[in-house]
Amino acid sequence: MTSNRSGRGKSRRNVAAPVQGKPQKKTVQPKREREQGRSQGGTGKEQLGIGIENGNFDGNIKDADRNRMEKGRGTRRSSGDGQERHTSNRNRSSTERADLPVQKNDEAILDIIGMNHDGEGVGRVEGFTLFIPGALPGEKVRVKVLKTKKQYGYAKLLDIVQASPDRIAAPCAIYDQCGGCQIQHMSYEAQLGWKRQHVVDVLERIGKLSVAASAGSATDSGANANATTESGNQAAQVSAALAGLEANTASSSAVSTDPNVASVSVNLAREQGVVVHPTLGMSEPWRYRNKAQVPIGVTEGGLVGGFYARGSHRIVDMNTCLIQDERNDEVVARVKEIGRMLGISAYNEETGRGLLRHVVVKTAFRTGEMMLVLVTNGRDIPHVDAWIGSIREHIPHVASICQNVNTKRTNVIFGDETRVLWGRDVIYDYIGNVQFAISARSFYQVNPVQTEVLYGKTVEYAGLTGKETVIDAYCGIGTISLFLAQHADQVYGVEIVKEAIEDARSNARLNEMRNVKFEVGASEDVIPGWKEQGITADVIVVDPPRKGCDPRLLDTILEMKPERVVYVSCNPSTLARDLRILEDGGYRTVEVQPVDMFPHTVHVECVVVIYRDDASYD
């Protein structure tokens, strides 16, 4: 069950009938010749300061703009300083935008030329850009303009005049309301193509990197099948060029521990560009999440739990989520039922009263063990024995029942205190052949199937022979570190969160791995200290949060000069920014492997291998 993470207003992804009983607004339908002239003359990104490449769109549009947007409402909005505009200001603003081809409430028919990083379709009316949630590349749609700014605007999808071949009916019954998924209405094959192309676009636009065989390879539909095919051909060419130097390696990757091969890889990247592989997707892209975090509330006197309605904190009850493991759905439904029977009150954000705030369920895919965490507004739970007894009776797979106490007036889920109500304080799961203990608050990847793919590619790109020293920055609970430790001489992991390091050390002991050391602190502070102790890294692995690497860490990497860097990214934009810094400092990006960790959402992870370009240090 997914909560509303986007905060955006309701979108209409399917055909919508015009509103009845209201006067028809004027329809703007630019002449085809004018549209063609503009498309031939340029994309208009010079006007916007944002990029549209190969059917993709990724702009410098502030998230706050979208979060403030209330789709479909005609209410007066406040100005940028938070105060209501006076009539004179509104008139002046109207005068300033009088030259725009569309105004608020206008209707228009337009072609969708791309999709931005939020999954919104991008179209133009006489060169003016509109973002349309629910529209797909290659479609012709009728829209209603909701809001205009100087360089772009937002519109609501009214009708699909001509549908994309990539459009499918979203299987989730509450897809339009929830917001946890953004692109269920796009075929999975097209999702994978779009994610690969999105990575290509930001590498070229933000990172200023040359990508092999990417220019002009996108398909009209936005699926970008040709782009992925040509990228695969380029990767094959790279491997073929390396075959003579690396006869004993069966891998299709350009990665090797042979310094001659590494030199060839760098030269090929310099001459032909970075290879961006097709996105690695799932054979079954549903029911992949192993963790549910469900807000609890009250509707018409009954306990409910599900998701926040778009653009609000009103909780809508829900019994199933198609990207959640079915067992998580079952546990949440049972907990709600037990809570209703026992008369458990739900937390009220406005008053700060009520007991149950969230229900968190974690499921270990390999072992089948489950953990239930009740997040409460206070330590005392009425009828706690009956509560535990009912859960154990109806949910036999639960191995741990915990309580987390959070009395703060905040939307942060967890508080500082966690205690065990019954069973163990952890459950156990495996990624590959590495075992992990998962506690109530510890971070663990939510898609274990794709996590194994992601980490396997990380180890491959690290090119370890058993002799290397590896530093894992942002090591978390040690997941990547322990994977690397199986193939390296020594691994050093650093993480700023103390509790995560405690978990990492426990996981190392659990797997009897003695060639890994963990330390608490900021990477940019700890790693220079290791260097002073004589510890030098052959490989540095970074897996930063969405904001990317700290600038001081990048400086530290450039000063330490490891032979290669492996970058695991959850945000292509900050990845591209950081790669530009490393390239300017003497490194060369060779390969990028997108991995679909979150099907049906706009998120994509990448693993990147970066070699030191020794020619840059001459």
Side-chain angles (χ1 to χ4, degrees), residues 12 26 57 187-188 245 266 287 292 330 442 475 528 540 549 555 612:
R12 301 291 297 273
K26 71 173 182 178
F57 187 99
S187 72
Y188 189 54
L245 296 172
V266 169
R287 299 292 187 180
E330 179 186 354
S442 65
C475 70
I540 292 181
C549 291
D555 290 340
R612 188 177 68 213

Side-chain angles (χ1 to χ4, degrees), residues 70-374:
E70 293 183 9
K71 305 280 193 294
R73 296 189 178 184
T75 55
R76 183 172 60 185
R77 307 303 295 152
S78 61
S79 61
D81 60 4
Q83 298 179 357
E84 291 291 343
R85 301 188 185 195
H86 296 294
T87 303
S88 59
N89 288 339
R90 289 202 306 274
N91 293 337
R92 184 179 63 186
S93 176
S94 177
T95 301
E96 290 174 349
R97 295 200 300 266
D99 60 336
L100 295 182
V102 291
Q103 301 293 330
K104 181 178 178 180
N105 294 325
D106 282 353
E107 292 183 5
I109 296 176
L110 66 163
D111 295 322
I112 303 301
I113 60 175
M115 194 164 74
N116 70 3
H117 63 279
D118 283 331
E120 298 168 331
V122 181
R124 286 206 176 92
V125 177
E126 299 185 15
F128 183 74
T129 298
L130 289 174
F131 298 106
I132 306 103
L136 293 178
E139 293 187 327
K140 182 182 290 292
V141 298
R142 187 168 65 89
V143 303
K144 179 179 180 180
V145 179
L146 300 177
K147 183 178 182 179
T148 59
K149 300 174 78 71
K150 289 183 178 180
Q151 296 178 320
Y152 58 90
Y154 301 94
K156 178 172 67 173
L157 179 62
L158 297 178
D159 290 299
I160 300 172
V161 178
Q162 180 179 336
S164 164
D166 298 323
R167 177 174 289 278
I168 62 172
C172 179
I174 47 88
Y175 176 50
D176 284 338
Q177 305 170 52
C178 174
C181 299
Q182 299 86 40
I183 50 176
Q184 273 193 25
H185 60 298
M186 185 183 231
S187 72
Y188 189 54
E189 180 182 2
Q191 290 181 31
L192 297 179
W194 175 79
K195 290 184 179 186
R196 187 259 177 192
Q197 191 62 40
H198 172 53
V199 173
V200 169
D201 291 343
V202 295
L203 291 180
E204 292 180 332
R205 182 174 56 83
I206 298 176
K208 308 301 181 186
L209 298 175
S210 173
V211 176
S214 63
S217 61
T219 63
D220 291 338
S221 67
N224 304 316
N226 290 341
T228 57
T229 300
E230 292 186 22
S231 176
N233 292 339
Q234 181 66 25
Q237 293 173 14
V238 172
S239 296
L242 297 172
L245 296 172
E246 194 182 10
N248 296 326
T249 300
S251 171
S252 63
S253 170
V255 176
S256 171
T257 57
D258 189 321
N260 294 323
V261 175
S263 177
V264 171
S265 300
V266 169
N267 288 336
L268 284 171
R270 185 187 300 116
E271 296 170 4
Q272 302 182 24
V274 181
V275 172
V276 180
H277 294 284
T279 307
L280 294 177
M282 302 185 71
S283 58
E284 179 50 56
W286 300 100
R287 299 292 187 180
Y288 58 82
R289 288 184 62 93
N290 60 11
K291 180 176 70 172
Q293 298 181 148
V294 180
I296 301 298
V298 174
T299 300
E300 297 179 356
L303 197 70
V304 298
F307 63 93
Y308 292 115
R310 286 182 180 271
S312 76
H313 268 211
R314 179 176 60 87
I315 298 173
V316 178
D317 201 26
M318 179 174 61
N319 292 321
T320 187
C321 173
L322 297 182
I323 63 173
Q324 281 289 350
D325 186 278
E326 292 98 329
R327 292 167 291 185
N328 292 351
D329 284 346
E330 179 186 354
V331 171
V332 173
R334 186 65 67 177
V335 168
K336 289 190 293 185
E337 180 182 338
I338 294 170
R340 292 175 188 130
M341 290 190 301
L342 296 177
I344 300 298
S345 62
Y347 176 71
N348 186 308
E349 286 186 342
E350 295 181 358
T351 66
R353 298 177 180 176
L355 180 65
L356 190 58
R357 300 177 67 129
H358 278 80
V359 173
V360 179
V361 185
K362 298 185 177 185
T363 298
F365 275 26
R366 187 83 66 86
T367 66
E369 294 182 343
M370 303 185 73
M371 170 181 284
L372 170 63
V373 184
L374 304 173

Side-chain angles (χ1 to χ4, degrees), residues 338 342 383-391:
I338 294 170
L342 296 177
H383 316 295
V384 64
D385 292 335
W387 182 277
I388 294 172
S390 296
I391 292 172

